[in-house]
Amino acid sequence: MKVDFHVHSLYSPDSVVDFDSLVRTCKERGIDAVAIMDHDVVEGAFAFAEKAQEMRLEGKWAPRILIGEEVRTKGGEICGLFLKEKVPRHLSPRETMELIRLQGGLVYVPHPFDLLKLKRLKSRELAELSDLIDIIEVFNGKPRFPLANLLARRFVRHHHFLCAAGSDSHEPTKIGTSFVEVEDFNSPQELLSNLEGGRISGKLYCPLDSAFRRLWKVALAEKKKTP
Ligand SMILES: [Zn+2]
């Protein structure tokens, strides 16, 4: 199955991805599952998962929704996957990872070598926290630093982490532009063992293009609202 591990729903303040456009785009692009990784909230992931389940009960197709959160920590962003509840922001990276693990979730480090991000886990910290890290994102769709994905791959090769990919889409046209082909899984542990044989594909896109499309969509929605 094809999984995009990093998508933002409109519950993230900077995303305009609504449920219908997510389903449509996944269907068109053959994406079987997405992880909703909203900034510091999990409501969107739960709401989308529920809607997807309702569609399946009606006999319609919908992608599998993995519940995640991209949590702002004192040391940069860290994602939790397979979450049952929200992880609070502004804790230390270690505390955040422990809280993710405590609820049975997986620790997923997004865009670790995006050197233009002011706050991020440095390679030394990643190595120190390796006992708590499950997956490192080695392909992100819109790194600000052009060599970020290359550096992430090199790091993972040296330190033997499991790796994955995510589009980091904040608007519909970017969903599924990065994904991992992986054997089907029914639990976090099964995902980890299947990721050993995962195949990563990704196409970079311009963050400015994404921002422009997002603003355009917001403007259109505003126009519709005005009588
Ligand atoms: Zn993100």
Side-chain angles (χ1 to χ4, degrees):
M1 64 191 299
K2 289 183 182 175
V3 187
D4 180 344
F5 280 94
H6 193 156
V7 172
H8 291 269
S9 84
L10 43 68
Y11 286 69
S12 279
D14 55 352
S15 169
V16 289
V17 173
D18 57 69
F19 181 72
D20 292 342
S21 58
L22 176 92
V23 174
R24 206 178 322 118
T25 314
C26 285
K27 197 169 185 184
E28 278 168 15
R29 297 183 178 169
I31 299 294
D32 302 288
V34 295
I36 300 290
M37 297 287 201
D38 287 334
H39 298 289
D40 304 311
V41 287
V42 285
E43 285 84 354
F46 280 111
F48 278 29
E50 207 178 299
K51 281 188 186 182
Q53 180 61 13
E54 279 167 18
M55 283 187 76
R56 274 182 233 109
L57 289 174
E58 289 167 13
K60 297 177 190 155
W61 184 86
R64 191 186 302 175
I65 306 290
L66 307 177
I67 312 286
E69 179 187 350
E70 187 166 20
V71 189
R72 241 172 305 169
T73 78
K74 284 179 184 159
E77 287 157 329
I78 294 169
C79 293
L81 194 58
F82 295 102
L83 293 182
K84 297 186 180 76
E85 58 187 49
K86 177 182 155 61
V87 177
R89 62 184 176 177
H90 299 327
L91 300 175
S92 75
R94 182 169 285 277
E95 281 173 306
T96 308
M97 290 178 182
E98 282 170 353
L99 284 179
I100 293 169
R101 286 283 189 90
L102 210 61
Q103 51 172 299
L106 299 179
V107 174
Y108 176 107
V109 179
H111 38 63
F113 287 86
D114 206 347
L115 304 186
L116 297 181
K117 278 189 180 278
L118 289 179
K119 267 194 192 170
R120 57 178 192 86
L121 293 171
K122 313 287 179 310
S123 26
R124 186 179 43 82
E125 292 169 294
L126 288 171
E128 278 167 13
L129 292 162
S130 62
D131 55 321
L132 288 168
I133 297 173
D134 296 295
I135 303 167
I136 290 209
E137 187 176 76
V138 296
F139 197 99
N140 178 278
K142 59 168 186 77
R144 294 181 205 168
F145 179 64
L147 299 178
N149 290 334
L150 208 78
L151 293 176
R153 261 190 195 274
R154 209 175 65 173
F155 178 81
V156 160
R157 226 175 286 138
H158 272 85
H159 295 268
H160 309 290
F161 284 106
L162 287 174
C163 43
S167 62
D168 206 352
S169 53
H170 289 68
E171 53 86 24
T173 66
K174 305 297 181 282
I175 297 167
T177 49
S178 308
F179 58 86
V180 184
E181 280 176 87
V182 62
E183 286 295 318
D184 198 357
F185 52 90
N186 287 309
S187 67
Q189 288 319 311
E190 200 175 358
L191 169 64
L192 291 182
S193 59
N194 293 355
L195 272 180
E196 302 265 7
R199 264 208 355 235
I200 286 172
S201 303
K203 238 191 278 165
L204 292 179
Y205 61 88
C206 172
L208 282 178
D209 172 61
S210 171
F212 177 74
R213 284 173 190 269
R214 220 161 61 208
L215 290 174
W216 183 245
K217 207 167 173 195
V218 171
L220 283 181
E222 284 300 317
K223 202 175 163 207
K224 256 193 208 164
K225 270 193 232 160
T226 45

